[in-house]
Amino acid sequence: MTNDIDLHVGKRLRRRRRLLGLTQQTLAEEVGIRFQQIQKYECGANRVSAARLFELSEALSVPIQYFYEGLGSNDPLTGDIDPDIIAPDVLSRKETMDLVRAYYAMDDAPRKHLLDLAKSLEQAAKPKLRLVAQ
């Protein structure tokens, strides 16, 4: 039976694999399994064992906790979503992957300028708070 945690781990696996530009076949060969098993992990049909999760984390160059990030993003008291957590589907989009790849293909100086530009645009988009006299 599919579990929400298994689905989450599978989505994180797919996200990281795509970010690195790896095919299911390439990743499967890296850890010594068939690509169909990677498919089953990614859709949550099969649970990833602790040993396999370790191998996948090594192959994808991430710590094991990467696969669990975002599971506890809701405030347990209010149920509100933490505003600092990125929506789960954002990193799955092709546009995001293309942007990340282009960003890391740049040298340090242009990358810093692009980051500064993005931050300044983010600040401009935030609504300004104003004090209201009572």
Side-chain angles (χ1 to χ4, degrees):
M1 299 202 37
T2 302
N3 178 304
D4 287 344
I5 296 172
D6 297 327
L7 287 170
H8 182 82
V9 169
K11 286 179 184 179
R12 298 287 292 174
L13 173 62
R14 177 182 293 126
R15 181 180 302 161
R16 181 64 180 174
R17 177 183 60 77
R18 286 182 174 172
L19 180 64
L20 296 175
L22 299 174
T23 64
Q24 290 176 337
Q25 181 67 41
T26 305
L27 179 58
E29 289 172 0
E30 184 76 23
V31 295
I33 58 177
R34 295 179 185 267
F35 81 92
Q36 291 94 337
Q37 189 61 44
I38 297 294
Q39 285 177 329
K40 290 177 183 179
Y41 290 152
E42 288 183 356
C43 71
N46 282 13
R47 182 168 288 166
V48 184
S49 71
R52 182 75 69 219
L53 195 60
F54 179 81
E55 292 170 342
L56 289 166
S57 73
E58 293 284 309
L60 297 171
S61 302
V62 292
I64 291 172
Q65 56 267 37
Y66 164 83
F67 296 102
Y68 299 100
E69 288 174 2
L71 274 176
S73 60
N74 289 353
D75 183 325
L77 297 176
T78 65
D80 293 339
I81 295 175
D82 184 343
D84 293 330
I85 302 293
I86 296 173
D89 66 327
V90 170
L91 296 175
S92 300
R93 296 181 188 160
K94 183 180 182 327
E95 172 187 26
T96 305
M97 294 294 121
D98 291 345
L99 180 62
V100 169
R101 284 189 192 104
Y103 178 81
Y104 282 107
M106 295 179 194
D107 290 330
D108 287 341
R111 198 164 57 214
K112 183 182 179 331
H113 291 303
L114 181 59
L115 181 59
D116 291 342
L117 173 63
K119 286 179 179 180
S120 69
L121 292 172
E122 176 190 26
Q123 290 300 320
K126 288 184 179 177
K128 303 286 189 242
L129 297 178
R130 57 188 177 102
L131 296 175
V132 177
Q134 293 187 10

